[in-house]
Amino acid sequence: MVAGVLLALSTIRDRKKTRAALITSGKVTLQVLPVLFFIFVLMGTIEAFVNKDTIAYLLGRGSGVRGILIAEVVGSVALIQPAAVFPFSGYLRTSGASYGAVAAFVLSAILIGISTLPLEIKLFGPRFTLFRNVLTFALILLLALLIGVIL
Amino acid sequence: MKSLLKTAAIYIALGGAIWGLIALVSPARGEIVGQAVGDTFKQTIEIIVAVFIFIGLFQVWVPPKTIAKFLGKESGWKGLILASTVPLGIGGSLFTILPLVQTLLEKGARIGVAGAFITAWAGKLPLLPLEIHFLGWKFALVRLGLLVSSAVIIGLSLEKMMERRGKR
């Protein structure tokens, strides 16, 4: 709805730009939708094989720092589009994961990437890469703990 | 464009293969997977389409390159504060954001700005509707607030660490 209104406004202001926007949207769709399909299958697979109690045990309220660390490591290794992070996180949440663990997964999936390490080293050098990733990992742990306390 | 299609095909094939394999081994479980895929798809398609349109509009009205140019010149606290708020509106993944930050450094931005920029970018404002839909507005707001307020800390710590090692 809101997107439709914005789109209409954008069309009135500038037709060319709006067309460019729609082309970008199309590209993003092409980029993200297949990943989403893959994630949905993954979610279904987890649903079919893994007991919800297991997720709740690994990532639930009682799992504390260990649960946050598990989620953070999985998020760091996971190679997914940021847009696909939230549907999966929502699934984890409804399966019994704590807010802290979910936050750790969301942040590390977006900010830390084993798959982007080569690119980061190439662009910024190994020291920057090491420091940034270590700092970010520590920050995520802290923020996840805070979010767990707040929510 | 071609590589885009290729990656898309790989993901679809991979997902299909996993699903097919499960259905082959255990039809009952295959059905659970199918149901989960269908349900999630139905629940999310509307919001996902909206977000994709958002991302497109953001991209043309607030182009990342303009932002980088603008931030490269700012210094001091103003630069740091801008670096921990402005990137919130930029989409993409680390693959697209890292090269952008590198041009920022080339244009003369300090390391603190670069560090804060990457951290704050994870705020992901264009994806906010998705986040609220799946995790609730409370979670989204708390995460956003904490991230923005800690972006400067990451930036400055990173800068300090780089400087200290550099002097040796």
Side-chain angles (χ1 to χ4, degrees):
Chain A
M1 254 284 280
V2 181
V5 173
L6 283 178
L7 201 59
L9 269 176
S10 175
T11 314
I12 294 165
R13 282 290 301 271
D14 191 334
R15 263 171 174 273
K16 240 180 167 173
K17 271 193 176 175
T18 308
R19 187 191 295 195
L22 282 179
I23 290 172
T24 308
S25 300
K27 272 192 189 154
V28 173
T29 309
L30 209 58
Q31 208 174 12
V32 178
L33 215 53
V35 183
L36 276 178
F37 170 71
F38 178 70
I39 296 272
F40 290 170
V41 171
L42 223 55
M43 278 157 58
T45 309
I46 296 174
E47 187 140 312
F49 288 92
V50 183
N51 200 310
K52 286 213 170 178
D53 292 342
T54 314
I55 295 179
Y57 169 71
L58 283 175
L59 305 173
R61 272 201 163 266
S63 66
V65 177
R66 196 200 58 208
I68 288 173
L69 283 174
I70 292 174
E72 200 175 345
V73 170
V74 172
S76 306
V77 177
L79 175 102
I80 49 176
Q81 287 286 332
V85 168
F86 292 114
F88 189 73
S89 306
Y91 170 73
L92 286 180
R93 176 73 195 131
T94 49
S95 304
S98 72
Y99 273 123
V102 168
F105 175 76
V106 169
L107 287 170
S108 59
I110 297 176
L111 271 178
I112 301 178
I114 299 292
S115 54
T116 46
L117 281 184
L119 176 73
E120 194 171 350
I121 292 172
K122 202 180 113 204
L123 291 175
F124 301 100
R127 261 183 28 217
F128 180 99
T129 306
L130 176 73
F131 291 156
R132 190 193 74 82
N133 283 286
V134 169
L135 272 174
T136 307
F137 196 90
L139 174 82
I140 292 172
L141 179 61
L142 187 75
L143 292 190
L145 283 170
L146 274 174
I147 288 173
V149 172
I150 296 170
L151 291 174
Chain B
M1 196 63 190
K2 221 176 178 183
S3 70
L4 214 66
L5 283 172
K6 214 168 141 190
T7 324
I10 289 173
Y11 272 110
I12 292 174
L14 221 57
I18 294 175
W19 187 357
L21 206 68
I22 293 169
L24 213 66
V25 176
S26 151
R29 284 187 163 149
E31 209 168 298
I32 296 178
V33 177
Q35 202 145 36
V37 173
D39 283 352
T40 340
F41 197 73
K42 261 184 267 164
Q43 280 165 25
T44 52
I45 190 66
E46 206 175 315
I47 194 119
I48 284 170
V49 169
V51 167
F52 288 169
I53 293 174
F54 267 140
I55 293 173
L57 287 174
F58 253 100
Q59 195 87 5
V60 285
W61 290 104
V62 197
K65 281 227 170 90
T66 318
I67 293 176
K69 227 181 262 166
F70 176 66
L71 263 175
K73 289 179 206 144
E74 296 290 349
S75 57
W77 277 100
K78 205 176 163 199
L80 284 172
I81 288 166
L82 283 175
S84 43
T85 45
V86 173
L88 288 171
I90 303 178
S93 66
L94 273 182
F95 279 113
T96 54
I97 208 72
L98 291 176
L100 183 71
V101 173
Q102 212 245 343
T103 55
L104 208 70
L105 284 175
E106 269 174 7
K107 294 215 165 77
R110 49 195 273 208
I111 293 174
V113 165
F117 192 98
I118 299 175
T119 311
W121 159 82
K124 291 257 147 224
L125 229 43
L127 299 181
L128 195 64
L130 266 182
E131 185 170 2
I132 292 176
H133 179 84
F134 283 102
L135 298 166
W137 60 269
K138 255 192 196 161
F139 178 90
L141 284 185
V142 172
R143 190 185 73 91
L144 194 67
L146 286 175
L147 195 67
V148 170
S149 43
S150 51
V152 172
I153 302 172
I154 286 284
L156 286 180
S157 318
L158 188 62
E159 196 173 270
K160 277 262 154 64
M161 287 167 94
M162 292 297 285
E163 273 171 5
R164 193 178 302 159
R165 289 293 302 274
K167 270 176 196 159
R168 257 179 220 169

